[in-house]
């Protein structure tokens, strides 16, 4: 089987779906691995290292896509690229399936097995292929560094002969994978850290990192079977906002990571809250790609409010640590392929009842097969 990894084409996307190390693992399985020249350049993996690992570089992208049995890429493809794939081929990538019905229809029409990394179940068995977690963790880390670089304050407490510098105050809203890594990073930098999440199980995790959990009584909240937060009612959001307003006003950095899987992110930080913050404070909206948690945040921009608060609305912050983001993302791809690889037949196992595949296979045999995305008759 031929596995082809094209270079990413989306502007500002330095990550790749393959490293020389994962290429070696795929070749060991029995795959022929081809890649577009320059595939890892933006994340500092050289063509020479891919070639040394046994990868065949193929610059004829369209022909290579048409010849491939498996295509790995980070970002969703164009509909035109989908049409180039051969029937029965596998395509594994992030797909943004809740917002891409036309792309799913194109995959179905092309007879391709489209696998969505977002939909890999967040179970212990699938942990090694959990690309949402591997990338969110680095985004949480990067969010703190981006905020610290713009803040005109030091983060740790410093006792100097000229007086004591107090630690900066950091508030993390949403303590999932990204939020917990942001807490850990801010703590390592010496900040005083507080956090809030609607899932009650998170309180212990926040405390174990040395941060304070902000208590807000929202009534019934909880989480889905998959571990995700339930959407709040408008009344609960209003209560949450009231409970957070004072902490936000006292914070030097606020990092928001609050998401509800498959839905628009809740709007949690209002203009009035921003107005109450100190000049020079920094807010990072990590939920920007799903609509944003912060009023006035704009995708790809630093917005400075009239009272001098900077709001960072940059998606894909993991791209600022692209070498490591690619290292772990490529490992997620390799783990996925290894899990489904049939070493005897030297092909991918297509067991439609297998739990992980049932979760992440969106199209097969000419149709959208995933119940969440299949057209309703
Ligand atoms: P996510 O990106 O969907 O959401 C980020 C965080 O925002 C979550 O912790 C969520 O509870 C929180 N949130 C939602 N609405 C909020 C609100 N109004 N206010 C404050 N916080 C709010 O989630 P994620 O980080 O990708 O993962 C969430 C959870 O999934 C994990 O913490 C874990 O329980 C589970 N998970 C399990 C595994 C595994 O078992 N292998 C792996 C990864 C994640």
């Amino acid at each position: 089987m031929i596995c082809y990894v094209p270079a990413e084409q989306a502007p500002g996307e330095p990550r790749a779906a393959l490293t020389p190390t994962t290429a070696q693992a795929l070749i060991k399985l029995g795959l022929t691995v081809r890649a577009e020249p320059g595939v890892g350049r933006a994340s500092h993996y050289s063509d020479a290292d891919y070639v040394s690992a046994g990868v065949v570089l193929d610059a004829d992208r369209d022909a290579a896509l048409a010849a491939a049995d498996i295509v790995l890429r980070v970002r969703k493809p164009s509909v035109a690229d989908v049409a180039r794939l051969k029937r029965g081929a596998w395509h594994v990538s992030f797909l943004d399936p809740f917002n891409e019905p036309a792309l799913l229809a194109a995959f179905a029409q092309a007879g391709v097995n489209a696998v969505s990394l977002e939909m890999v179940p967040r179970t212990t068995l699938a942990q090694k292929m959990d690309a949402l977690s591997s990338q969110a963790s680095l985004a949480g880390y990067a969010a703190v560094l981006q905020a610290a670089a713009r803040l005109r304050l030091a983060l740790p407490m410093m006792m100097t002969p000229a007086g004591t510098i107090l630690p900066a105050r950091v508030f993390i809203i949403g303590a999932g994978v990204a939020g917990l890594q942001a807490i850990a990073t801010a703590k390592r930098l010496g900040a005083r850290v507080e956090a809030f999440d609607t899932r009650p199980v998170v309180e212990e995790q926040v405390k174990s990192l040395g941060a304070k959990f902000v208590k807000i009584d929202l009534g019934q909240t909880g989480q889905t079977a998959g571990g995700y937060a339930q959407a709040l009612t408008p009344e609960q959001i209003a209560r949450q906002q009231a409970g957070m307003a004072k902490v936000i006003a006292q914070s030097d950095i606020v990092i928001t990571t609050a998401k509800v899987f498959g839905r628009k992110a809740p709007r949690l930080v209002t203009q009035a809250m921003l107005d109450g913050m100190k000049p020079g404070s920094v807010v990072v909206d990590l939920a920007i790609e799903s609509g944003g948690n912060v009023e006035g945040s704009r995708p790809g921009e630093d917005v400075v409010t009239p009272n001098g608060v900077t709001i960072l609305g940059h998606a894909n912050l993991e791209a600022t640590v692209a070498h490591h983001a690619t290292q772990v993302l490529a490992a997620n791809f390799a783990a996925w392929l290894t899990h489904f690889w049939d070493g005897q037949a030297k092909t991918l196992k297509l067991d439609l009842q297998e739990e992980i595949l049932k979760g992440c296979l969106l199209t097969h045999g000419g149709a959208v097969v995933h119940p969440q995305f299949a057209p309703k008759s």
Side-chain angles (χ1 to χ4, degrees):
M1 278 190 124
I2 298 171
C3 174
Y4 183 62
V5 186
E8 296 298 313
Q9 291 182 314
E13 180 51 82
R15 293 172 296 170
L18 185 76
T19 61
T21 304
T22 62
Q24 277 174 336
L26 301 187
I27 291 164
K28 219 166 147 193
L29 290 179
L31 279 159
T32 299
V33 181
R34 296 185 183 161
E36 191 171 346
V39 65
R41 194 175 297 140
S43 51
H44 302 294
Y45 295 91
S46 72
D47 279 354
D49 285 346
Y50 284 105
V51 171
S52 303
V55 176
V56 177
L57 296 179
D58 189 340
D60 190 344
R61 181 190 173 92
D62 292 354
L65 285 171
D69 302 293
I70 304 169
V71 173
L72 309 179
R73 75 213 291 169
V74 179
R75 296 277 184 145
K76 58 192 167 193
S78 63
V79 168
D81 266 2
V82 172
R84 292 189 176 96
L85 302 173
K86 65 180 178 196
R87 292 195 89 74
W90 292 78
H91 186 285
V92 188
S93 71
F94 287 115
L95 281 178
D96 193 14
F98 290 97
N99 299 308
E100 289 292 348
L103 185 60
L104 295 196
F107 271 121
Q109 204 189 354
V112 170
N113 300 310
V115 171
S116 159
L117 288 180
E118 294 93 336
M119 298 304 294
V120 170
R122 313 290 286 277
T123 58
T124 309
L125 185 62
Q127 227 164 11
K128 279 190 183 168
M129 36 185 127
D130 183 352
L132 285 180
S133 289
S134 73
Q135 303 305 291
S137 188
L138 288 167
Y141 161 82
V144 176
L145 296 198
Q146 296 285 321
R150 283 159 174 93
L151 191 71
R152 307 252 158 84
L153 298 174
L155 265 70
M157 183 168 98
M158 291 188 199
M159 314 269 260
T160 81
T164 299
I165 292 174
L166 294 175
R169 292 184 67 159
V170 177
F171 182 36
I172 313 286
I173 304 172
V177 179
L180 289 172
Q181 189 56 250
I183 294 170
T185 305
K187 284 297 293 181
R188 282 186 211 118
L189 290 173
R192 180 178 155 183
V193 185
E194 291 165 278
F196 175 72
D197 197 295
T198 53
R199 290 181 299 122
V201 296
V202 170
E203 180 172 351
E204 274 315 306
Q205 296 165 11
V206 168
K207 286 183 180 161
S208 72
L209 291 170
K212 185 178 160 202
F213 190 79
V214 174
K215 294 258 191 202
I216 304 170
D217 181 8
L218 298 179
Q220 184 69 27
T221 53
Q223 60 184 43
T224 65
Y228 289 112
Q230 308 270 19
L232 299 183
T233 64
E235 294 73 33
Q236 285 177 311
I237 293 210
R239 270 155 80 179
Q240 178 179 352
Q241 287 170 329
M244 296 190 312
K246 192 166 162 223
V247 187
I248 290 176
Q250 292 168 342
S251 297
D252 302 298
I253 294 175
V254 173
I255 296 175
T256 72
T257 76
K259 292 189 202 160
V260 179
F261 191 71
R263 303 175 71 140
K264 199 169 174 296
R267 187 51 57 93
L268 300 173
V269 179
T270 62
Q271 188 60 51
M273 292 172 175
L274 295 167
D275 291 344
M277 292 183 78
K278 290 169 283 186
S281 306
V282 180
V283 179
V284 184
D285 189 347
L286 270 189
I288 190 76
E289 261 181 318
S290 42
N293 295 140
V294 182
E295 199 168 345
S297 65
R298 285 205 291 270
E301 287 185 34
D302 283 17
V303 175
V304 182
T305 65
N307 63 325
V309 175
T310 303
I311 310 169
L312 310 187
H314 302 279
N316 202 10
L317 275 187
E318 57 273 30
T320 62
V321 283
H323 191 78
H324 281 146
T326 292
Q327 177 193 318
V328 289
L329 184 56
N332 296 140
F333 279 99
W336 190 93
L337 284 171
T338 305
H339 181 83
F340 290 106
W341 189 250
D342 181 337
Q344 300 256 296
K346 299 273 181 250
T347 185
L348 284 170
K349 282 178 275 194
L350 182 70
D351 174 1
L352 296 174
Q353 295 316 311
E354 202 270 353
E355 283 305 313
I356 299 174
L357 195 63
K358 255 195 334 198
C360 62
L361 181 69
L362 305 192
T363 62
H364 170 64
V368 177
V369 291
H370 196 290
Q372 260 174 293
F373 307 105
K376 306 277 176 276
S377 53

